[in-house]
Amino acid sequence: MTRWLHLESDAETIRLAERRQRAGGADPEKSGETLLDLAIVDHEPSLGGRTTLRLIKRNRTIKLPWHRLRVGSPVVLSSMDDDGNSRNGVVTNRSHDAIEVSVSDWLEGDRFRIDLSPDEITRKRQAAALRNAEEARGRTGELRKVLLGEHDPEFAEEADCEFTASLNPSQEAAIRFAKSARDLAIIHGPPGTGKTTTVVELICQEVARGKTVLACAPSNTAVDNLLERLVAARQRVVRIGHPARVNEKLHAFTLDSQVADHDAMQLVKEMLRDAERLFRKSQHFTRGKPARGAKQDMRREARQLKADARLLEQQAVQSVLNRARVVCTTTTFNEELLGDRRFDVAVIDEACQSTEPGCWVPVLRADRIVLAGDHCQLPPTVLSDEAGAEGLKTSLLERLVNLHGDAVTRRLDVQYRMHSDIMRFSSEQFYGGTLKAHESVASHLLDGIWSVTPAEITREPITFIDTAGSGWEEELEPEGLSKRNPQEGELVLRKVQELRDAGVKPRDIAVIAPYAAQVRWLRDQSKWGNLEIDTVDGFQGREKEAVVISCVRSNTIGEIGFLADARRMNVALTRARRKLIVVGDSATLGGNEFYTALFEYFESIGAYHTLWEESE
């Protein structure tokens, strides 16, 4: 695993170098990792002495192009003026026309660029965790043996529970099972089955029996989701991590905010002010020559004051952590904050979206491990083909399911998102036909929304439009490596217009495409400001009332690229609640067994339409 981290670091460095080399080309923004010609339009101080800058295009009539700079992404903000000054930062917010970045200090200039940056801090933390795991003894050493398959996991007898939330039988069974685990348990949550609801109830159950919980997820968004639900459940919880990466409405629950309110912090601020005053005085004597050694004494006293202040601040941090029963954080947290603190149980939500080295950071801190996720959806993002082929793309959860199977796993089987027809194909292909649509969603359609006018497009849950024979072949994006299909894109936008004509609001519609070039083309052509258009990866874990999928691939040799990973299409097909529209070329995709089955399913439910029917 340590070797894979080195390979991943090298791959990211090479990719960023290639991107910067292309920066001299016609449009470096096409990579999705760069934004150019930006202006700072607002700024405000944020926690920890940082500053949050809001940037837009200098030409205010232009919205931001499609990009990969998501909330929490590490970036470099640089001046495009002659001085070329730069600051490392973190994306804190984004919209169609603006992006916000938190930096440690103000940056002078008139024109700016933002570039995605390697996340070396995260990799260093993962590498340190692997070294510590390798040398671990005691309880962590025992857990290591279970996780590596040297020992079988053990379970106590399942006990009855008094649940605080309304759950279905599969959710209750998963919680009882996880509580009985002495080492490891896995909650397998297919799309829409209330996995996070189950995880939160499990955490509440553990706290109720006096346990401390480390609640983790790979992304800040997923951690905030856990935090928000735990706050609603009235748990004593604290969120650690960069405040800029935390949802603004949850800032009161961050470690920074709670420490700032601690009684000791007023004294800490006074000590730091005194230290700063002494440093300034040692540099600027205004009357006479100072006594021999006076400057050194002042600086020594100032340094001691600062050291004492930091010690007092650390005591305040530990006091806040001691009061909490649940600590929420991303999987690659700053271990120095926790000192030698251990937890009774670590719960990792969305565990399949993390590479395995990322999960070993919380593993070192707990006596028991519960993983929640779905290995039938997208695997972790890995840049190094070599590391991915050797195993870095296999998450800890997936590896343990393959190793131990049902002995450590309980699957949730009632989903609360999709119409039963939208759900059924995914259930049969990936979950052994075990999923059931809850009665509240099993037959819901767009017609059931009060603002929607009944129309042909709103009366059926699924529409597939086959473009085979149209001659709409894919093409490489000019000066790029990604693929697009503009004619297919025009049809996709026409279907969005039909949904709008029926009264479906743009915010309730998503357009998903597997290729970044198609996303960029669709965003450029879209006339709806709050219509979300993104890649499959961008929509994992999310849902919309209506989803239109553009498959893009159309060629004479049946080449479908990474669409051959059926898990990618599983994600796309399961984002829609009431209406799913798929546009694709069956002649190109149909050579793949998965897509053959998909098209046969569409035909079996009367959802299959040719392009010629659409044009009649």
Side-chain angles (χ1 to χ4, degrees):
M1 293 183 202
T2 301
R3 178 174 170 275
W4 294 342
L5 287 178
H6 289 308
L7 290 172
E8 186 72 354
S9 178
D10 292 343
E12 184 168 16
T13 300
I14 291 170
R15 187 184 70 167
L16 290 176
E18 289 175 346
R19 174 181 54 75
R20 286 172 181 143
Q21 188 176 5
R22 293 197 303 268
D27 190 0
E29 290 183 323
K30 286 185 180 297
S31 69
E33 298 172 347
T34 295
L35 294 174
L36 299 175
D37 201 27
L38 302 172
I40 297 174
V41 292
D42 196 9
H43 71 279
E44 61 180 23
S46 53
L47 294 173
R50 291 172 286 266
T51 299
T52 298
L53 306 176
R54 188 169 188 268
L55 299 102
I56 63 172
K57 283 287 189 178
R58 291 178 72 241
N59 181 347
R60 297 186 181 221
T61 65
I62 301 176
K63 60 186 178 181
L64 295 181
W66 174 88
H67 59 86
R68 304 177 191 273
L69 308 179
R70 306 191 182 281
V71 173
S73 294
V75 295
V76 175
L77 173 67
S78 308
S79 170
M80 295 181 68
D81 301 324
D82 293 339
D83 56 15
N85 288 331
S86 65
R87 298 283 186 275
N88 290 323
V90 174
V91 176
T92 62
N93 201 356
R94 54 175 274 180
S95 63
H96 287 295
D97 58 0
I99 186 167
E100 295 182 6
V101 178
S102 174
V103 293
S104 59
D105 195 12
W106 179 265
L107 187 64
E108 297 292 338
D110 297 316
R111 299 172 61 241
F112 300 92
R113 67 181 288 162
I114 297 175
D115 294 287
L116 190 65
S117 170
D119 194 359
E120 287 302 323
I121 292 177
T122 293
R123 266 192 286 273
K124 287 177 181 177
R125 290 174 181 171
Q126 293 174 353
L130 293 177
R131 289 194 299 271
N132 292 334
E134 193 171 21
E135 299 167 358
R137 301 292 182 267
R139 181 59 185 144
T140 301
E142 293 171 356
L143 265 181
R144 181 193 62 222
K145 291 177 181 178
V146 171
L147 296 179
L148 296 181
E150 297 174 17
H151 285 180
D152 290 333
E154 297 181 358
F155 295 85
E157 185 176 345
E158 292 187 24
D160 290 335
C161 298
E162 291 187 12
F163 296 101
T164 62
S166 177
L167 303 172
N168 64 54
S170 69
Q171 292 171 324
E172 292 179 353
I175 291 170
R176 282 193 294 267
F177 176 72
K179 287 178 65 177
S180 75
R182 290 186 170 135
D183 309 294
L184 163 73
I186 293 174
I187 298 174
H188 180 190
T193 53
K195 171 182 54 61
T196 302
T197 297
T198 307
V199 166
V200 169
E201 176 64 17
L202 170 64
I203 293 171
C204 293
Q205 291 279 329
E206 294 289 1
V207 171
R209 60 176 183 166
K211 306 298 184 183
T212 55
V213 182
L214 180 61
C216 301
S219 70
N220 285 284
T221 300
V223 177
D224 285 349
N225 190 22
L226 279 175
L227 175 60
E228 187 170 15
R229 297 191 186 205
L230 288 165
V231 168
R234 300 183 180 278
Q235 294 298 320
R236 283 185 290 163
V237 59
V238 62
R239 166 76 152 95
I240 65 174
H242 197 304
R245 292 171 171 168
V246 179
N247 188 312
E248 186 176 353
K249 67 181 180 181
L250 297 171
H251 273 184
F253 303 98
T254 63
L255 181 62
D256 294 56
S257 178
Q258 294 186 43
V259 168
D261 292 337
H262 194 275
D263 294 341
M265 290 308 293
Q266 185 59 41
L267 179 56
V268 169
K269 292 177 183 177
E270 292 174 5
M271 294 168 71
L272 290 174
R273 280 197 296 268
D274 289 344
E276 184 62 28
R277 191 159 48 246
L278 282 168
F279 272 123
R280 287 199 302 268
K281 187 175 180 181
S282 71
Q283 295 169 349
H284 303 287
F285 273 87
T286 58
R287 294 183 183 177
K289 184 178 179 180
R292 183 184 296 274
K295 288 185 177 182
Q296 291 84 347
D297 290 343
M298 288 181 188
R299 291 170 183 166
R300 189 181 305 112
E301 184 181 354
R303 285 193 294 269
Q304 186 60 52
L305 273 172
K306 290 185 74 172
D308 291 343
R310 294 308 177 200
L311 180 60
L312 194 57
E313 184 180 57
Q314 185 59 32
Q315 291 173 352
V317 167
Q318 297 309 313
S319 175
V320 170
L321 292 173
N322 287 338
R323 292 198 300 261
R325 302 302 298 169
V326 184
V327 172
C328 287
T329 177
T330 56
T331 49
T332 48
F333 51 85
N334 181 359
E335 290 211 89
E336 292 181 4
L337 286 173
L338 294 181
D340 59 358
R341 189 178 305 274
R342 287 189 65 82
F343 297 84
D344 295 304
V345 58
V347 179
I348 306 178
D349 195 14
E350 304 292 359
C352 291
Q353 294 182 33
S354 170
T355 60
E356 181 162 351
C359 287
W360 279 89
V361 180
V363 164
L364 295 175
R365 292 283 178 169
D367 294 335
R368 296 164 45 229
I369 308 297
V370 178
L371 305 175
D374 181 13
H375 52 286
C376 299
Q377 296 187 59
L378 285 174
T381 300
V382 172
L383 301 178
S384 167
D385 292 338
E386 185 177 356
E390 290 184 12
L392 188 57
K393 277 191 174 181
T394 302
S395 66
L396 175 63
L397 186 152
E398 182 178 3
R399 183 173 64 76
L400 291 171
V401 167
N402 293 336
L403 183 64
H404 297 294
D406 293 341
V408 298
T409 308
R410 291 295 181 271
R411 181 190 293 162
L412 309 181
D413 61 18
V414 180
Q415 66 86 17
Y416 300 84
R417 174 186 299 162
M418 297 164 274
H419 187 287
S420 58
D421 284 355
I422 298 174
M423 171 204 74
R424 192 172 299 118
F425 179 77
S426 177
S427 176
E428 292 171 352
Q429 287 288 315
F430 297 96
Y431 309 109
T434 59
L435 294 189
K436 300 181 287 288
H438 189 265
E439 60 182 12
S440 63
V441 301
S443 58
H444 68 175
L445 297 166
L446 288 177
D447 279 1
I449 301 175
W450 70 270
S451 62
V452 173
T453 302
E456 183 178 352
I457 198 170
T458 68
R459 292 193 184 103
E460 298 295 335
I462 300 178
T463 301
F464 170 65
I465 304 171
D466 189 357
T467 64
S470 65
W472 294 357
E473 291 205 354
E474 68 198 49
E475 63 183 30
L476 274 179
E477 185 179 38
E479 300 179 9
L481 299 176
S482 185
K483 292 179 172 58
R484 68 183 191 183
N485 192 322
Q487 291 169 300
E488 182 178 289
E490 290 173 359
L491 176 57
V492 165
L493 294 177
R494 288 202 298 273
K495 303 316 287 186
V496 173
Q497 183 64 61
E498 285 184 42
L499 291 169
R500 287 291 299 116
D501 291 343
V504 184
K505 299 182 185 305
R507 67 169 181 264
D508 291 329
I509 306 170
V511 176
I512 300 177
Y515 288 89
Q518 187 76 343
V519 170
R520 283 190 283 271
W521 188 93
L522 288 163
R523 286 196 66 184
D524 286 342
Q525 301 298 316
S526 171
K527 60 183 179 182
W528 303 282
N530 51 355
L531 170 70
E532 286 198 66
I533 305 172
D534 211 336
T535 59
V536 180
D537 304 59
F539 273 100
Q540 179 151 316
R542 304 181 57 216
E543 61 184 50
K544 290 284 186 176
E545 298 294 347
V547 170
V548 187
I549 300 173
S550 173
C551 294
V552 179
R553 300 308 299 260
S554 180
N555 53 68
T556 58
I557 59 174
E559 172 62 49
I560 65 174
F562 59 74
L563 262 70
D565 184 349
R567 291 179 295 183
R568 185 172 300 277
M569 188 53 65
N570 185 34
V571 173
L573 293 171
T574 55
R575 300 308 97 196
R577 288 173 49 78
R578 300 169 187 260
K579 180 68 180 186
L580 173 66
I581 301 173
V582 181
V583 181
D585 181 351
S586 67
T588 299
L589 299 172
N592 179 279
E593 184 178 350
F594 172 81
Y595 290 98
T596 298
L598 177 63
F599 300 149
E600 289 174 353
Y601 175 72
F602 287 155
E603 284 192 274
S604 72
I605 61 172
Y608 181 93
H609 302 273
T610 67
L611 183 62
W612 322 119
E613 293 175 60
E614 287 294 311
S615 59
E616 288 177 356

